[in-house]
Amino acid sequence: MNAVSDILIIGGGVIGLAIAVELKRRGATVTVLSRDFSAATAHAAAGMLAPQAEEISSSPMLELCRASRLLYPEWVYKLEQITGMTTGYWPCGILAPVYDTPALTASHRADNDNSVRQWLDSPAIHLYQPGLGADVVGGWWYPEDAQVDNRALLKALRLAAQEQGVDLTEGVSVEAIEQQNRQVVAVRTAVGEFRARHYILATGAWSQQLLPIPVSPKKGQMLSLQMPKGDNESLPLQRILFAPETYLVPRRDGRLIIGATSEDVGWTPHNTPAGIQSLLESASRLYPDLRHWSIQEMWWGFRPATPDELPILGQGSCENLIFATGHYRNGILLAPITATLICDLIEQQKPDPLLEHFHHSRFYKTEQGSVASNGKNPAFVSRHLSSPEATPTPMPLTFSTPTFDSPTVETELTDPLIIAGRKFRSRLMTGTGKYQTLEQMQQSIAASGSQIVTVAVRRVQTKAAGHEGLAEALDWTKLWMLPNTAGCKTAEEAVRVARLGREMAKLLGQEDNNFVKLEVIPDAKYLLPDPIGTLEAAEQLVKEGFAVLPYINADPLLAKRLEELGCVTVMPLGSPIGSGQGIKNAANIEIIIEEANVPVVVDAGIGTPSEAAYSMELGADALLINSAIAMAKNPVAMGQSMGMATQAGRLAYLSGRIPIKIYATASSPLTGTVGN
Ligand code: GLY
């Protein structure tokens, strides 16, 4: 085990370091884990301290930003004192020129904050700032907005942390946050475990790689020019220009930072001609002279964006876990206030009322607007789902639902499916993919009687088409979630996604759910699982305490190896996923069933209820069916039918079928039966 500190901060960006320095100043022992300090988003920023120019409309956010701007002078002064470095803090003000006066005045009339600002009409703004584009028709002057040299600030923060004795550990990737009973017990990394009393997640745009909180990367491309010096070494631009589509941030050393694109392209790296061209066009329109200045550098970064563009701050999903992430466009600005509020929270165990507005639970509100009553069954509410027209309204079923809750046969009560010590009434597992609507999915699963429902963690996390709002559309107080690693091509990916799946189940209220359906599928054509990758991933996941349900080809030896490793089921395929080809490998499945001491779940390929019943008659303990239900003409009816077939097949298996004979035997024997 590695260092034990009072506080362990995951993330060495501006937020993580700002909190580290403040905590240390207050007397705590602090460890910061960082994968790569130079990758921090703050490195790519422009360093504007611009609550007004950014036109922040949420009033708690404006309050937070302005409070932070107010803290800045003293905060950087202290850092400079500690380190002897400069941070480039410059209260230079921001001029926000516009090309279209009416739109601007309308938007600002609605703005009733008390900040200092001044409207400049066309002659005034051109006089005030010579060199602006001819079509600038006016603009606002925000004298209180400012800037800091973000790269210098990061360096100073890092040095301050070092000088004060913060344990900075670089080059360490956090692989998992281990939790028990709503407490983080350790952080797992490639170089071992780290433990602390409190943990702070400050991983910015990368947060979703560790926990299923809605922070995603929003790419920004930027470049810098060298400004020519005028008479007396003066620079042509001495204040920030913030216009629609671009901003120009002059530094005292003569650089001019031009930002920034805002692109939803995931983690796609690099500058692009289109991105740089659009910036140069907007910048040249704003300040035409810059077309002749030399280009110094181009770069890009990833802002940590949340669905409502507000940060996620305060108590996290465990009692000793705090979130400080999702600062989107304002991480540099919000660093001092975030550090102050988070440190107060840890020190006083009492959140500042302002923090309430930034609590992660705002994304888990139910449709009525309140957090789920048990406080443990939160669900991400995407904008899509929370809009009234998109709220799923269950449609009435047009036929009777099966009587799974009051079975007429004993088997339902006396013959539960037991996986990893957990009992299930239904032996049919279903999936959530490929349905046309969430309502259809909800009703089909209900009609099937299924209690175990598998969810593709990666697709839910990335909100892949058809997966928006999917995980929260089901009632996880009644269903057992089986997170799956669909989409993972390697063992390593599958292990990572399995960990995320466990977090997702926790966030959705299933604290003790350690199940994972392991899929390692490198081949996109046949979607056949990789036996070696599956074995490797299973070994790791079993070690980490997962109940592993591996999806495999119907290979009896592999099934045995997986069972010996500690997997809680084996899930041989009947035929390729979604093919509806039925059970193509009955002989091998029969061997697996005969040899297994864990439940055998036939997964994939089943197309009809007769094939479902057949698999159960072979002695399978359970089935997993998705495509055959979701893609049927009437998925709800097919769900019901598959549920009945599973039940019928199981009952038939237990009842003992008659032996197959070569010749006929009369149905009405002459002796030895009732009545003789
Ligand atoms: N804070 C400016 C940006 O994110 O582009």
Side-chain angles (χ1 to χ4, degrees), residues 256-267:
L256 181 70
I257 315 293
I258 303 182
T261 62
S262 191
E263 302 166 63
D264 273 316
V265 293
W267 294 105

Side-chain angles (χ1 to χ4, degrees), residues 48 54 247 260 303 329:
M48 287 183 294
E54 287 274 357
Y247 47 77
R303 303 175 183 91
R329 294 178 64 96

Side-chain angles (χ1 to χ4, degrees), residues 72-110:
Y72 241 94
E74 202 182 326
W75 186 64
V76 291
Y77 175 76
K78 279 191 200 145
L79 282 176
E80 292 180 353
Q81 291 290 105
I82 296 170
T83 61
M85 294 176 66
T86 62
T87 59
Y89 173 71
W90 185 7
C92 59
I94 297 185
L95 186 63
V98 297
Y99 305 107
D100 174 8
T101 322
L104 176 109
T105 46
S107 83
H108 283 76
R109 258 199 302 273

Side-chain angles (χ1 to χ4, degrees), residues 321-661:
L321 176 64
I322 283 176
F323 291 157
T325 184
H327 290 74
Y328 189 40
R329 294 178 64 96
N330 297 292
I332 305 287
L333 168 62
L334 290 174
I337 193 74
T338 301
T340 304
L341 294 180
I342 296 297
C343 295
D344 289 351
L345 176 63
I346 291 177
E347 212 171 47
Q348 298 156 14
Q349 292 292 304
K350 205 168 75 179
D352 185 293
L354 192 53
L355 281 179
E356 267 172 40
H357 303 278
F358 305 103
H359 194 269
H360 68 106
S361 63
R362 70 185 188 270
F363 299 112
Y364 318 139
K365 306 272 180 195
T366 61
E367 280 142 36
Q368 287 73 38
S370 59
V371 175
S373 57
N374 61 4
K376 290 186 179 178
N377 189 19
F380 289 172
V381 177
S382 63
R383 285 181 174 169
H384 167 72
L385 246 191
S386 56
S387 64
E389 65 281 9
T391 302
T393 13
M395 293 184 316
L397 295 179
T398 51
F399 48 85
S400 62
T401 48
T403 56
F404 290 112
D405 288 335
S406 51
T408 51
V409 281
E410 284 279 290
T411 55
E412 287 276 312
L413 299 171
T414 58
D415 175 38
L417 168 68
I418 304 177
I419 300 176
R422 188 169 282 273
K423 289 186 182 174
F424 301 94
R425 182 171 32 77
S426 167
R427 289 177 176 267
L428 173 61
M429 306 180 187
T430 48
T432 48
K434 301 183 184 166
Y435 286 97
Q436 288 187 354
T437 63
L438 291 180
E439 292 90 328
Q440 199 179 63
M441 175 190 79
Q442 292 161 328
Q443 290 171 24
S444 304
I445 292 172
S448 74
S450 169
Q451 290 176 297
I452 302 179
V453 178
T454 191
V455 175
V457 177
R458 196 168 231 181
R459 296 188 184 128
V460 168
Q461 297 251 296
T462 56
K463 294 197 168 64
H467 288 72
E468 306 92 339
L470 182 151
E472 50 277 6
L474 292 169
D475 180 355
W476 298 109
T477 59
K478 301 209 169 76
L479 298 170
W480 186 247
M481 182 186 289
L482 177 55
N484 71 61
T485 63
C488 294
K489 295 191 167 100
T490 63
E492 206 184 358
E493 276 180 90
V495 169
R496 199 168 57 75
V497 170
R499 292 175 187 141
L500 287 176
R502 181 151 66 177
E503 301 310 321
M504 184 166 88
K506 281 201 173 89
L507 273 177
L508 289 163
Q510 298 192 348
E511 290 283 317
D512 52 345
N513 189 339
N514 60 345
F515 279 38
V516 62
K517 179 179 178 232
L518 175 61
E519 298 184 21
V520 181
I521 303 182
D523 138 63
K525 185 170 178 194
Y526 300 105
L527 295 177
L528 291 173
D530 168 8
I532 297 165
T534 305
L535 207 62
E536 283 171 5
E539 193 168 7
Q540 177 64 27
L541 290 170
V542 168
K543 270 193 213 145
E544 292 185 21
F546 281 87
V548 183
L549 293 79
Y551 169 63
I552 55 170
N553 218 318
D555 175 344
L557 290 182
L558 176 63
K560 207 64 207 159
R561 288 286 304 277
L562 287 162
E563 180 186 323
E564 284 162 5
L565 271 183
C567 290
V568 296
T569 66
V570 285
M571 303 185 76
L573 55 89
S575 52
I577 294 176
S579 69
Q581 291 174 18
I583 307 303
K584 292 287 194 198
N585 42 17
N588 274 14
I589 290 183
E590 278 185 287
I591 300 174
I592 294 176
I593 291 169
E594 197 174 318
E595 293 299 316
N597 296 308
V598 290
V600 177
V601 184
V602 173
D603 181 7
I606 289 173
T608 64
S610 62
E611 290 157 4
Y614 172 59
S615 310
M616 295 304 290
E617 287 167 26
L618 289 179
D621 296 274
L623 308 176
L624 195 150
I625 305 177
N626 181 46
S627 303
I629 299 175
M631 302 189 70
K633 268 199 191 135
N634 184 337
V636 183
M638 187 59 88
Q640 179 175 12
S641 151
M642 290 293 190
M644 295 164 100
T646 308
Q647 204 178 333
R650 177 67 180 175
L651 192 54
Y653 171 72
L654 293 178
S655 309
R657 62 156 295 152
I658 60 163
I660 298 169
K661 292 183 186 162

